[in-house]
Amino acid sequence: MPIPRHGSFWRKLGAFAGPGWLVAVGYMDPGNWATDLAGGSQYGYSLLWVIAFSNLMAMLLQGLAAKLGIVTGRDLAQACRDHYSRPVRIALWLLAELAIIACDLAEVIGTAIALDLLFGIPLTLGVWLTALNVIMATILEQRGFRRLEALVGGLMVVVAASLTIELILSGPDFARIGGGLVPSGAILSDPGMLYIATGIIGATVMPHNLYLHSAVVQTRRFATDHCGKREAVRFAMLDGVLALSLAMLVNGAILILAASVFHAQERSVSDIAEAYKLLSPMLGVGFASALFGIALLASGQNSTLTGALAGQVIMEGFTDLRIPIWARRLISRGLAIIPAAIVASLYGSAGTGKLLILSQVLLSLQLPFAIVPLIRITGDRKWMGEFANSRPVQLMAWVVAALIIGLCLKLLWG
């Protein structure tokens, strides 16, 4: 997609818009739904600040990833391959692949649950049907990247519109929403709250999205001189902030919906299927559950499309191994389908709900292995030249990394 050199601000923004929205999809996938529903139903509005802070951290880190791709012409996986020794590089690659599997697991489960709730397709069969998404993603990408971005944008509108209607119907307490945005140290003393908060962070600041963003910004053809790169960085960051702001509102809406409907009536919801079944009777509106299911299905399809792209970026970037796209995606999806199918057949929706939240906690535990290399490389003047992170930005990035690592250590060792 060419970026006009002398067009208006809005024309340039429109030409650059897309990569940020592809990345934002991962910030509102079924994993987010599970953690936000659990957090809202169990703790009311108390964890809203975790969603807000997680998205602010994500905006900073995604901005660094976009800058890396624009300035160096290398995505994060390729930069790690160039920057680190072979043993470290292999370890980072394997951890990134685990992140893709955890993310794919959430998409498989979320889509299967939506198919079961909307169309009565058995959960185990729905899990296996998600393999068809691989074919859909490959066909769409072959027809043009801009078409893929348009489909993703359309599905995001469906999700946002559905949840907006649900939120209006739920009648949330705005005073408590304001209180929920105030940080609290309760998560450090309540293991259950810490577990959900860590899942929210993992579902928000997703490691595979950092790799993806650094790659997809390179689909824009901008001037490669100093001024062209600086302008591209500015528009990439603006695109990312706008897209992630919508993702933050969607995630906040899910948690607020759970708090105002379930927590207000002292009903702890353990999984997405239970939330679907309870929404209509508790809100007194027949179509409330259907809207919820439609939004969940759209979210799962969207996340599948971008997750497939991220998996391709990670394998090719770290290993320079090029295999057919469909084969790479089938391998990744197969590794997610098998555990999901086993849990679905043995434990049903309750088991898959717990597995969904666990997948997001695992993403949090893998985050440091993506953000530390990103911060180091984008702060290195040998790599980035005058585009290297300024001292304030580098300090903020390391504070974010320290917070995430600290929460992960607290979760692991209490």
Side-chain angles (χ1 to χ4, degrees):
M1 179 70 186
I3 306 299
R5 294 211 61 171
H6 305 292
S8 66
F9 169 85
W10 295 108
R11 187 181 173 194
K12 289 181 179 179
L13 179 61
F16 214 101
W21 299 92
L22 284 177
V23 168
V25 164
Y27 289 78
M28 53 181 89
D29 75 344
N32 291 81
W33 286 61
T35 54
D36 294 338
L37 283 170
S41 65
Q42 293 177 38
Y43 302 104
Y45 302 93
S46 301
L47 292 176
L48 262 180
W49 71 272
V50 177
I51 290 178
F53 270 58
S54 296
N55 273 271
L56 291 175
M57 292 190 293
M59 289 176 187
L60 172 62
L61 295 172
Q62 294 295 165
L64 297 185
K67 182 172 70 171
L68 172 66
I70 290 168
V71 173
T72 67
R74 308 284 281 172
D75 60 55
L76 179 58
Q78 293 170 329
C80 287
R81 191 179 76 206
D82 297 339
H83 201 80
Y84 291 104
S85 64
R86 181 178 175 82
V88 173
R89 184 169 71 238
I90 292 174
L92 291 175
W93 170 49
L94 293 177
L95 287 165
E97 292 288 0
L98 286 175
I100 285 292
I101 294 170
C103 179
D104 226 17
L105 188 61
E107 293 152 7
V108 165
I109 294 172
T111 300
I113 291 173
L115 291 173
D116 179 26
L117 297 175
L118 289 172
F119 308 111
I121 296 174
L123 202 58
T124 304
L125 176 59
V127 166
W128 289 105
L129 285 177
T130 59
L132 298 176
N133 288 346
V134 174
I135 300 172
M136 181 179 70
T138 304
I139 292 173
L140 283 171
E141 189 177 354
Q142 289 175 345
R143 292 189 175 184
F145 208 76
R146 202 60 170 171
R147 290 188 180 184
L148 179 63
E149 291 174 347
L151 175 62
V152 165
L155 289 173
M156 286 178 71
V157 170
V158 171
V159 174
S162 300
L163 288 174
T164 298
I165 296 171
E166 298 272 20
L167 203 57
I168 293 171
L169 293 172
S170 70
D173 187 325
F174 290 99
R176 291 188 176 182
I177 290 174
L181 291 171
V182 178
S184 168
I187 63 171
L188 299 179
S189 58
D190 186 332
M193 186 180 284
L194 176 62
Y195 184 76
I196 297 297
T198 306
I200 289 174
I201 293 172
T204 305
V205 191
M206 304 179 81
H208 75 281
N209 270 338
L210 300 174
Y211 294 100
L212 177 63
H213 205 173
S214 61
V216 293
V217 290
Q218 297 179 52
T219 60
R220 270 43 184 180
R221 297 197 299 274
F222 49 84
T224 55
D225 57 16
H226 172 81
C227 292
K229 288 183 177 180
R230 185 164 296 280
E231 183 180 59
V233 168
R234 185 169 70 250
F235 279 107
M237 290 189 173
L238 181 56
D239 175 51
V241 167
L242 291 173
L244 293 180
S245 295
L246 175 61
M248 178 169 60
L249 293 175
V250 167
N251 288 324
I254 297 170
L255 188 142
I256 292 169
L257 178 66
S260 58
V261 177
F262 305 128
H263 184 75
Q265 299 187 38
E266 299 182 350
R267 185 70 181 254
S268 177
V269 175
S270 58
D271 60 68
I272 292 174
E274 185 181 5
Y276 173 89
K277 293 171 184 175
L278 291 174
L279 268 176
S280 284
M282 294 182 79
L283 286 176
V285 180
F287 61 82
S289 292
L291 273 178
F292 183 85
I294 290 169
L296 175 63
L297 183 60
S299 173
Q301 298 310 298
N302 245 354
S303 302
T304 294
L305 296 175
T306 57
L309 289 173
Q312 181 184 345
V313 167
I314 287 170
M315 173 172 277
E316 292 185 358
F318 273 112
T319 67
D320 203 25
L321 176 65
R322 299 183 181 275
I323 63 175
I325 295 174
W326 62 268
R328 170 66 182 87
R329 291 172 180 171
L330 273 180
I331 292 171
S332 176
R333 180 49 56 96
L335 291 173
I337 283 177
I338 292 171
I342 292 172
V343 171
S345 61
L346 293 177
Y347 304 106
S349 62
T352 54
K354 293 177 181 178
L355 186 59
L356 198 52
I357 295 177
L358 175 62
S359 71
Q360 304 310 292
V361 174
L362 292 175
L363 283 172
S364 263
L365 297 178
Q366 293 165 37
L367 254 179
F369 302 101
I371 60 178
V372 169
L374 174 66
I375 296 169
R376 287 192 62 192
I377 293 171
T378 54
D380 188 343
R381 288 198 170 273
K382 292 181 180 178
W383 269 76
M384 303 294 291
E386 59 187 294
F387 289 96
N389 301 335
S390 64
R391 287 186 178 180
V393 170
Q394 193 75 347
L395 177 61
M396 284 191 294
W398 282 122
V399 168
V400 167
L403 287 172
I404 292 173
I405 292 170
L407 278 176
C408 291
L409 293 176
K410 173 69 176 174
L411 179 67
L412 289 173
W413 286 289

PDB file of all heavy atoms in Angstrom, residues 260-294:
ATOM      1  N   SER A 260     -21.988  -5.542  36.063  1.00  0.00           N
ATOM      2  CA  SER A 260     -23.324  -4.958  36.255  1.00  0.00           C
ATOM      3  C   SER A 260     -24.436  -5.996  36.207  1.00  0.00           C
ATOM      4  O   SER A 260     -25.494  -5.806  36.811  1.00  0.00           O
ATOM      5  CB  SER A 260     -23.571  -3.876  35.203  1.00  0.00           C
ATOM      6  OG  SER A 260     -23.456  -4.401  33.895  1.00  0.00           O
ATOM      7  N   VAL A 261     -24.204  -7.109  35.511  1.00  0.00           N
ATOM      8  CA  VAL A 261     -25.243  -8.143  35.400  1.00  0.00           C
ATOM      9  C   VAL A 261     -25.024  -9.266  36.410  1.00  0.00           C
ATOM     10  O   VAL A 261     -25.939  -9.632  37.163  1.00  0.00           O
ATOM     11  CB  VAL A 261     -25.294  -8.728  33.974  1.00  0.00           C
ATOM     12  CG1 VAL A 261     -26.327  -9.848  33.887  1.00  0.00           C
ATOM     13  CG2 VAL A 261     -25.624  -7.633  32.967  1.00  0.00           C
ATOM     14  N   PHE A 262     -23.819  -9.825  36.461  1.00  0.00           N
ATOM     15  CA  PHE A 262     -23.577 -11.009  37.278  1.00  0.00           C
ATOM     16  C   PHE A 262     -23.127 -10.677  38.700  1.00  0.00           C
ATOM     17  O   PHE A 262     -23.690 -11.179  39.674  1.00  0.00           O
ATOM     18  CB  PHE A 262     -22.548 -11.916  36.598  1.00  0.00           C
ATOM     19  CG  PHE A 262     -22.932 -12.301  35.193  1.00  0.00           C
ATOM     20  CD1 PHE A 262     -22.059 -12.118  34.127  1.00  0.00           C
ATOM     21  CD2 PHE A 262     -24.183 -12.845  34.930  1.00  0.00           C
ATOM     22  CE1 PHE A 262     -22.411 -12.467  32.846  1.00  0.00           C
ATOM     23  CE2 PHE A 262     -24.550 -13.203  33.640  1.00  0.00           C
ATOM     24  CZ  PHE A 262     -23.668 -13.010  32.592  1.00  0.00           C
ATOM     25  N   HIS A 263     -22.106  -9.825  38.823  1.00  0.00           N
ATOM     26  CA  HIS A 263     -21.601  -9.500  40.163  1.00  0.00           C
ATOM     27  C   HIS A 263     -22.656  -8.774  40.981  1.00  0.00           C
ATOM     28  O   HIS A 263     -22.766  -8.999  42.202  1.00  0.00           O
ATOM     29  CB  HIS A 263     -20.339  -8.634  40.047  1.00  0.00           C
ATOM     30  CG  HIS A 263     -19.702  -8.346  41.366  1.00  0.00           C
ATOM     31  ND1 HIS A 263     -18.982  -9.284  42.068  1.00  0.00           N
ATOM     32  CD2 HIS A 263     -19.683  -7.213  42.136  1.00  0.00           C
ATOM     33  CE1 HIS A 263     -18.541  -8.755  43.191  1.00  0.00           C
ATOM     34  NE2 HIS A 263     -18.952  -7.507  43.263  1.00  0.00           N
ATOM     35  N   ALA A 264     -23.435  -7.916  40.326  1.00  0.00           N
ATOM     36  CA  ALA A 264     -24.469  -7.164  41.043  1.00  0.00           C
ATOM     37  C   ALA A 264     -25.503  -8.093  41.669  1.00  0.00           C
ATOM     38  O   ALA A 264     -26.143  -7.745  42.671  1.00  0.00           O
ATOM     39  CB  ALA A 264     -25.155  -6.182  40.092  1.00  0.00           C
ATOM     40  N   GLN A 265     -25.689  -9.285  41.076  1.00  0.00           N
ATOM     41  CA  GLN A 265     -26.641 -10.251  41.622  1.00  0.00           C
ATOM     42  C   GLN A 265     -25.926 -11.422  42.292  1.00  0.00           C
ATOM     43  O   GLN A 265     -26.495 -12.502  42.466  1.00  0.00           O
ATOM     44  CB  GLN A 265     -27.571 -10.746  40.509  1.00  0.00           C
ATOM     45  CG  GLN A 265     -28.386  -9.614  39.882  1.00  0.00           C
ATOM     46  CD  GLN A 265     -29.428 -10.118  38.903  1.00  0.00           C
ATOM     47  OE1 GLN A 265     -30.051 -11.150  39.113  1.00  0.00           O
ATOM     48  NE2 GLN A 265     -29.631  -9.374  37.823  1.00  0.00           N
ATOM     49  N   GLU A 266     -24.634 -11.159  42.647  1.00  0.00           N
ATOM     50  CA  GLU A 266     -23.816 -12.137  43.373  1.00  0.00           C
ATOM     51  C   GLU A 266     -23.781 -13.491  42.662  1.00  0.00           C
ATOM     52  O   GLU A 266     -23.894 -14.552  43.270  1.00  0.00           O
ATOM     53  CB  GLU A 266     -24.331 -12.305  44.811  1.00  0.00           C
ATOM     54  CG  GLU A 266     -24.267 -11.015  45.605  1.00  0.00           C
ATOM     55  CD  GLU A 266     -24.729 -11.194  47.046  1.00  0.00           C
ATOM     56  OE1 GLU A 266     -25.273 -12.272  47.356  1.00  0.00           O
ATOM     57  OE2 GLU A 266     -24.536 -10.267  47.841  1.00  0.00           O
ATOM     58  N   ARG A 267     -23.599 -13.404  41.353  1.00  0.00           N
ATOM     59  CA  ARG A 267     -23.528 -14.627  40.538  1.00  0.00           C
ATOM     60  C   ARG A 267     -22.145 -14.689  39.885  1.00  0.00           C
ATOM     61  O   ARG A 267     -21.824 -13.905  38.983  1.00  0.00           O
ATOM     62  CB  ARG A 267     -24.610 -14.611  39.460  1.00  0.00           C
ATOM     63  CG  ARG A 267     -24.700 -15.894  38.645  1.00  0.00           C
ATOM     64  CD  ARG A 267     -25.249 -17.026  39.480  1.00  0.00           C
ATOM     65  NE  ARG A 267     -25.315 -18.269  38.737  1.00  0.00           N
ATOM     66  CZ  ARG A 267     -26.445 -18.810  38.277  1.00  0.00           C
ATOM     67  NH1 ARG A 267     -27.587 -18.201  38.460  1.00  0.00           N
ATOM     68  NH2 ARG A 267     -26.421 -19.969  37.642  1.00  0.00           N
ATOM     69  N   SER A 268     -21.306 -15.580  40.349  1.00  0.00           N
ATOM     70  CA  SER A 268     -19.970 -15.741  39.774  1.00  0.00           C
ATOM     71  C   SER A 268     -20.070 -16.627  38.535  1.00  0.00           C
ATOM     72  O   SER A 268     -20.535 -17.768  38.624  1.00  0.00           O
ATOM     73  CB  SER A 268     -19.010 -16.354  40.789  1.00  0.00           C
ATOM     74  OG  SER A 268     -17.744 -16.569  40.213  1.00  0.00           O
ATOM     75  N   VAL A 269     -19.651 -16.109  37.397  1.00  0.00           N
ATOM     76  CA  VAL A 269     -19.740 -16.836  36.137  1.00  0.00           C
ATOM     77  C   VAL A 269     -18.392 -17.488  35.845  1.00  0.00           C
ATOM     78  O   VAL A 269     -17.370 -16.807  35.788  1.00  0.00           O
ATOM     79  CB  VAL A 269     -20.150 -15.900  34.985  1.00  0.00           C
ATOM     80  CG1 VAL A 269     -20.120 -16.633  33.658  1.00  0.00           C
ATOM     81  CG2 VAL A 269     -21.540 -15.339  35.237  1.00  0.00           C
ATOM     82  N   SER A 270     -18.400 -18.788  35.656  1.00  0.00           N
ATOM     83  CA  SER A 270     -17.138 -19.516  35.494  1.00  0.00           C
ATOM     84  C   SER A 270     -16.711 -19.684  34.046  1.00  0.00           C
ATOM     85  O   SER A 270     -15.554 -19.978  33.769  1.00  0.00           O
ATOM     86  CB  SER A 270     -17.248 -20.900  36.160  1.00  0.00           C
ATOM     87  OG  SER A 270     -18.320 -21.639  35.591  1.00  0.00           O
ATOM     88  N   ASP A 271     -17.646 -19.538  33.100  1.00  0.00           N
ATOM     89  CA  ASP A 271     -17.253 -19.709  31.698  1.00  0.00           C
ATOM     90  C   ASP A 271     -18.180 -18.926  30.773  1.00  0.00           C
ATOM     91  O   ASP A 271     -19.229 -18.434  31.185  1.00  0.00           O
ATOM     92  CB  ASP A 271     -17.213 -21.187  31.307  1.00  0.00           C
ATOM     93  CG  ASP A 271     -18.568 -21.875  31.476  1.00  0.00           C
ATOM     94  OD1 ASP A 271     -19.491 -21.530  30.720  1.00  0.00           O
ATOM     95  OD2 ASP A 271     -18.691 -22.735  32.358  1.00  0.00           O
ATOM     96  N   ILE A 272     -17.762 -18.819  29.505  1.00  0.00           N
ATOM     97  CA  ILE A 272     -18.490 -18.030  28.508  1.00  0.00           C
ATOM     98  C   ILE A 272     -19.876 -18.607  28.251  1.00  0.00           C
ATOM     99  O   ILE A 272     -20.850 -17.872  28.105  1.00  0.00           O
ATOM    100  CB  ILE A 272     -17.676 -17.967  27.202  1.00  0.00           C
ATOM    101  CG1 ILE A 272     -16.397 -17.143  27.427  1.00  0.00           C
ATOM    102  CG2 ILE A 272     -18.497 -17.353  26.078  1.00  0.00           C
ATOM    103  CD1 ILE A 272     -15.454 -17.131  26.236  1.00  0.00           C
ATOM    104  N   ALA A 273     -19.984 -19.939  28.181  1.00  0.00           N
ATOM    105  CA  ALA A 273     -21.275 -20.568  27.902  1.00  0.00           C
ATOM    106  C   ALA A 273     -22.301 -20.222  28.978  1.00  0.00           C
ATOM    107  O   ALA A 273     -23.471 -19.963  28.687  1.00  0.00           O
ATOM    108  CB  ALA A 273     -21.110 -22.077  27.798  1.00  0.00           C
ATOM    109  N   GLU A 274     -21.852 -20.197  30.229  1.00  0.00           N
ATOM    110  CA  GLU A 274     -22.757 -19.853  31.328  1.00  0.00           C
ATOM    111  C   GLU A 274     -23.225 -18.404  31.201  1.00  0.00           C
ATOM    112  O   GLU A 274     -24.401 -18.097  31.432  1.00  0.00           O
ATOM    113  CB  GLU A 274     -22.049 -20.069  32.666  1.00  0.00           C
ATOM    114  CG  GLU A 274     -22.952 -19.846  33.872  1.00  0.00           C
ATOM    115  CD  GLU A 274     -22.220 -20.045  35.190  1.00  0.00           C
ATOM    116  OE1 GLU A 274     -20.991 -20.264  35.163  1.00  0.00           O
ATOM    117  OE2 GLU A 274     -22.875 -19.959  36.236  1.00  0.00           O
ATOM    118  N   ALA A 275     -22.299 -17.518  30.815  1.00  0.00           N
ATOM    119  CA  ALA A 275     -22.670 -16.117  30.625  1.00  0.00           C
ATOM    120  C   ALA A 275     -23.716 -15.975  29.529  1.00  0.00           C
ATOM    121  O   ALA A 275     -24.690 -15.218  29.665  1.00  0.00           O
ATOM    122  CB  ALA A 275     -21.422 -15.296  30.283  1.00  0.00           C
ATOM    123  N   TYR A 276     -23.530 -16.702  28.446  1.00  0.00           N
ATOM    124  CA  TYR A 276     -24.474 -16.660  27.318  1.00  0.00           C
ATOM    125  C   TYR A 276     -25.876 -17.068  27.767  1.00  0.00           C
ATOM    126  O   TYR A 276     -26.877 -16.418  27.443  1.00  0.00           O
ATOM    127  CB  TYR A 276     -23.967 -17.598  26.224  1.00  0.00           C
ATOM    128  CG  TYR A 276     -24.911 -17.794  25.061  1.00  0.00           C
ATOM    129  CD1 TYR A 276     -24.874 -16.946  23.958  1.00  0.00           C
ATOM    130  CD2 TYR A 276     -25.828 -18.846  25.062  1.00  0.00           C
ATOM    131  CE1 TYR A 276     -25.737 -17.144  22.878  1.00  0.00           C
ATOM    132  CE2 TYR A 276     -26.684 -19.048  23.990  1.00  0.00           C
ATOM    133  CZ  TYR A 276     -26.632 -18.193  22.907  1.00  0.00           C
ATOM    134  OH  TYR A 276     -27.491 -18.382  21.847  1.00  0.00           O
ATOM    135  N   LYS A 277     -25.962 -18.151  28.535  1.00  0.00           N
ATOM    136  CA  LYS A 277     -27.263 -18.672  28.952  1.00  0.00           C
ATOM    137  C   LYS A 277     -27.960 -17.763  29.962  1.00  0.00           C
ATOM    138  O   LYS A 277     -29.195 -17.730  30.030  1.00  0.00           O
ATOM    139  CB  LYS A 277     -27.083 -20.073  29.542  1.00  0.00           C
ATOM    140  CG  LYS A 277     -26.630 -21.100  28.507  1.00  0.00           C
ATOM    141  CD  LYS A 277     -26.237 -22.415  29.153  1.00  0.00           C
ATOM    142  CE  LYS A 277     -25.703 -23.401  28.108  1.00  0.00           C
ATOM    143  NZ  LYS A 277     -25.192 -24.649  28.724  1.00  0.00           N
ATOM    144  N   LEU A 278     -27.185 -17.016  30.743  1.00  0.00           N
ATOM    145  CA  LEU A 278     -27.766 -16.196  31.803  1.00  0.00           C
ATOM    146  C   LEU A 278     -28.138 -14.780  31.351  1.00  0.00           C
ATOM    147  O   LEU A 278     -28.976 -14.132  31.987  1.00  0.00           O
ATOM    148  CB  LEU A 278     -26.792 -16.101  32.985  1.00  0.00           C
ATOM    149  CG  LEU A 278     -26.572 -17.381  33.798  1.00  0.00           C
ATOM    150  CD1 LEU A 278     -25.472 -17.157  34.824  1.00  0.00           C
ATOM    151  CD2 LEU A 278     -27.855 -17.806  34.486  1.00  0.00           C
ATOM    152  N   LEU A 279     -27.532 -14.304  30.263  1.00  0.00           N
ATOM    153  CA  LEU A 279     -27.716 -12.902  29.885  1.00  0.00           C
ATOM    154  C   LEU A 279     -29.175 -12.550  29.599  1.00  0.00           C
ATOM    155  O   LEU A 279     -29.699 -11.564  30.126  1.00  0.00           O
ATOM    156  CB  LEU A 279     -26.845 -12.557  28.673  1.00  0.00           C
ATOM    157  CG  LEU A 279     -25.453 -12.007  28.983  1.00  0.00           C
ATOM    158  CD1 LEU A 279     -24.665 -11.791  27.700  1.00  0.00           C
ATOM    159  CD2 LEU A 279     -25.530 -10.709  29.771  1.00  0.00           C
ATOM    160  N   SER A 280     -29.823 -13.313  28.754  1.00  0.00           N
ATOM    161  CA  SER A 280     -31.205 -12.982  28.383  1.00  0.00           C
ATOM    162  C   SER A 280     -32.156 -12.986  29.575  1.00  0.00           C
ATOM    163  O   SER A 280     -32.893 -12.012  29.792  1.00  0.00           O
ATOM    164  CB  SER A 280     -31.716 -13.934  27.294  1.00  0.00           C
ATOM    165  OG  SER A 280     -31.169 -13.582  26.043  1.00  0.00           O
ATOM    166  N   PRO A 281     -32.175 -14.054  30.402  1.00  0.00           N
ATOM    167  CA  PRO A 281     -33.089 -14.018  31.549  1.00  0.00           C
ATOM    168  C   PRO A 281     -32.749 -12.948  32.575  1.00  0.00           C
ATOM    169  O   PRO A 281     -33.655 -12.347  33.165  1.00  0.00           O
ATOM    170  CB  PRO A 281     -32.969 -15.429  32.150  1.00  0.00           C
ATOM    171  CG  PRO A 281     -31.711 -16.000  31.609  1.00  0.00           C
ATOM    172  CD  PRO A 281     -31.524 -15.380  30.274  1.00  0.00           C
ATOM    173  N   MET A 282     -31.464 -12.658  32.768  1.00  0.00           N
ATOM    174  CA  MET A 282     -31.088 -11.681  33.789  1.00  0.00           C
ATOM    175  C   MET A 282     -31.291 -10.248  33.317  1.00  0.00           C
ATOM    176  O   MET A 282     -31.533  -9.341  34.114  1.00  0.00           O
ATOM    177  CB  MET A 282     -29.639 -11.904  34.235  1.00  0.00           C
ATOM    178  CG  MET A 282     -29.442 -13.237  34.956  1.00  0.00           C
ATOM    179  SD  MET A 282     -27.758 -13.517  35.563  1.00  0.00           S
ATOM    180  CE  MET A 282     -27.784 -12.528  37.052  1.00  0.00           C
ATOM    181  N   LEU A 283     -31.183 -10.035  31.989  1.00  0.00           N
ATOM    182  CA  LEU A 283     -31.435  -8.697  31.445  1.00  0.00           C
ATOM    183  C   LEU A 283     -32.899  -8.523  31.056  1.00  0.00           C
ATOM    184  O   LEU A 283     -33.357  -7.394  30.855  1.00  0.00           O
ATOM    185  CB  LEU A 283     -30.548  -8.449  30.208  1.00  0.00           C
ATOM    186  CG  LEU A 283     -29.063  -8.181  30.463  1.00  0.00           C
ATOM    187  CD1 LEU A 283     -28.316  -8.050  29.139  1.00  0.00           C
ATOM    188  CD2 LEU A 283     -28.865  -6.917  31.300  1.00  0.00           C
ATOM    189  N   GLY A 284     -33.610  -9.634  30.895  1.00  0.00           N
ATOM    190  CA  GLY A 284     -35.007  -9.557  30.500  1.00  0.00           C
ATOM    191  C   GLY A 284     -35.208  -9.206  29.036  1.00  0.00           C
ATOM    192  O   GLY A 284     -36.258  -8.714  28.639  1.00  0.00           O
ATOM    193  N   VAL A 285     -34.192  -9.465  28.223  1.00  0.00           N
ATOM    194  CA  VAL A 285     -34.251  -9.159  26.786  1.00  0.00           C
ATOM    195  C   VAL A 285     -33.881 -10.423  26.023  1.00  0.00           C
ATOM    196  O   VAL A 285     -32.781 -10.969  26.200  1.00  0.00           O
ATOM    197  CB  VAL A 285     -33.288  -8.009  26.410  1.00  0.00           C
ATOM    198  CG1 VAL A 285     -33.374  -7.724  24.916  1.00  0.00           C
ATOM    199  CG2 VAL A 285     -33.614  -6.762  27.219  1.00  0.00           C
ATOM    200  N   GLY A 286     -34.779 -10.896  25.164  1.00  0.00           N
ATOM    201  CA  GLY A 286     -34.598 -12.167  24.504  1.00  0.00           C
ATOM    202  C   GLY A 286     -33.381 -12.273  23.613  1.00  0.00           C
ATOM    203  O   GLY A 286     -32.756 -13.331  23.523  1.00  0.00           O
ATOM    204  N   PHE A 287     -33.019 -11.169  22.939  1.00  0.00           N
ATOM    205  CA  PHE A 287     -31.923 -11.249  21.970  1.00  0.00           C
ATOM    206  C   PHE A 287     -30.557 -10.962  22.591  1.00  0.00           C
ATOM    207  O   PHE A 287     -29.540 -10.948  21.899  1.00  0.00           O
ATOM    208  CB  PHE A 287     -32.163 -10.281  20.806  1.00  0.00           C
ATOM    209  CG  PHE A 287     -32.248  -8.828  21.205  1.00  0.00           C
ATOM    210  CD1 PHE A 287     -31.102  -8.062  21.400  1.00  0.00           C
ATOM    211  CD2 PHE A 287     -33.480  -8.214  21.378  1.00  0.00           C
ATOM    212  CE1 PHE A 287     -31.174  -6.726  21.754  1.00  0.00           C
ATOM    213  CE2 PHE A 287     -33.570  -6.881  21.742  1.00  0.00           C
ATOM    214  CZ  PHE A 287     -32.407  -6.129  21.933  1.00  0.00           C
ATOM    215  N   ALA A 288     -30.488 -10.720  23.893  1.00  0.00           N
ATOM    216  CA  ALA A 288     -29.216 -10.366  24.534  1.00  0.00           C
ATOM    217  C   ALA A 288     -28.187 -11.476  24.385  1.00  0.00           C
ATOM    218  O   ALA A 288     -27.020 -11.222  24.056  1.00  0.00           O
ATOM    219  CB  ALA A 288     -29.447 -10.041  26.001  1.00  0.00           C
ATOM    220  N   SER A 289     -28.607 -12.721  24.610  1.00  0.00           N
ATOM    221  CA  SER A 289     -27.668 -13.843  24.499  1.00  0.00           C
ATOM    222  C   SER A 289     -27.202 -14.028  23.060  1.00  0.00           C
ATOM    223  O   SER A 289     -26.023 -14.326  22.809  1.00  0.00           O
ATOM    224  CB  SER A 289     -28.329 -15.130  25.001  1.00  0.00           C
ATOM    225  OG  SER A 289     -28.550 -15.067  26.391  1.00  0.00           O
ATOM    226  N   ALA A 290     -28.122 -13.850  22.085  1.00  0.00           N
ATOM    227  CA  ALA A 290     -27.744 -14.006  20.674  1.00  0.00           C
ATOM    228  C   ALA A 290     -26.698 -12.975  20.271  1.00  0.00           C
ATOM    229  O   ALA A 290     -25.730 -13.301  19.574  1.00  0.00           O
ATOM    230  CB  ALA A 290     -28.986 -13.881  19.787  1.00  0.00           C
ATOM    231  N   LEU A 291     -26.878 -11.731  20.707  1.00  0.00           N
ATOM    232  CA  LEU A 291     -25.895 -10.684  20.410  1.00  0.00           C
ATOM    233  C   LEU A 291     -24.530 -11.050  20.980  1.00  0.00           C
ATOM    234  O   LEU A 291     -23.493 -10.871  20.339  1.00  0.00           O
ATOM    235  CB  LEU A 291     -26.354  -9.348  20.993  1.00  0.00           C
ATOM    236  CG  LEU A 291     -27.282  -8.471  20.153  1.00  0.00           C
ATOM    237  CD1 LEU A 291     -27.658  -7.221  20.933  1.00  0.00           C
ATOM    238  CD2 LEU A 291     -26.639  -8.093  18.824  1.00  0.00           C
ATOM    239  N   PHE A 292     -24.539 -11.560  22.194  1.00  0.00           N
ATOM    240  CA  PHE A 292     -23.307 -11.975  22.857  1.00  0.00           C
ATOM    241  C   PHE A 292     -22.607 -13.068  22.047  1.00  0.00           C
ATOM    242  O   PHE A 292     -21.394 -13.014  21.817  1.00  0.00           O
ATOM    243  CB  PHE A 292     -23.659 -12.471  24.262  1.00  0.00           C
ATOM    244  CG  PHE A 292     -22.480 -12.868  25.102  1.00  0.00           C
ATOM    245  CD1 PHE A 292     -21.778 -11.925  25.831  1.00  0.00           C
ATOM    246  CD2 PHE A 292     -22.078 -14.197  25.186  1.00  0.00           C
ATOM    247  CE1 PHE A 292     -20.696 -12.291  26.621  1.00  0.00           C
ATOM    248  CE2 PHE A 292     -21.005 -14.580  25.969  1.00  0.00           C
ATOM    249  CZ  PHE A 292     -20.309 -13.618  26.691  1.00  0.00           C
ATOM    250  N   GLY A 293     -23.375 -14.065  21.594  1.00  0.00           N
ATOM    251  CA  GLY A 293     -22.797 -15.157  20.816  1.00  0.00           C
ATOM    252  C   GLY A 293     -22.256 -14.709  19.473  1.00  0.00           C
ATOM    253  O   GLY A 293     -21.194 -15.162  19.030  1.00  0.00           O
ATOM    254  N   ILE A 294     -22.969 -13.790  18.808  1.00  0.00           N
ATOM    255  CA  ILE A 294     -22.516 -13.266  17.510  1.00  0.00           C
ATOM    256  C   ILE A 294     -21.194 -12.528  17.666  1.00  0.00           C
ATOM    257  O   ILE A 294     -20.258 -12.697  16.876  1.00  0.00           O
ATOM    258  CB  ILE A 294     -23.592 -12.350  16.899  1.00  0.00           C
ATOM    259  CG1 ILE A 294     -24.807 -13.183  16.465  1.00  0.00           C
ATOM    260  CG2 ILE A 294     -23.032 -11.569  15.706  1.00  0.00           C
ATOM    261  CD1 ILE A 294     -26.018 -12.356  16.104  1.00  0.00           C
TER     262      ILE A 294
END
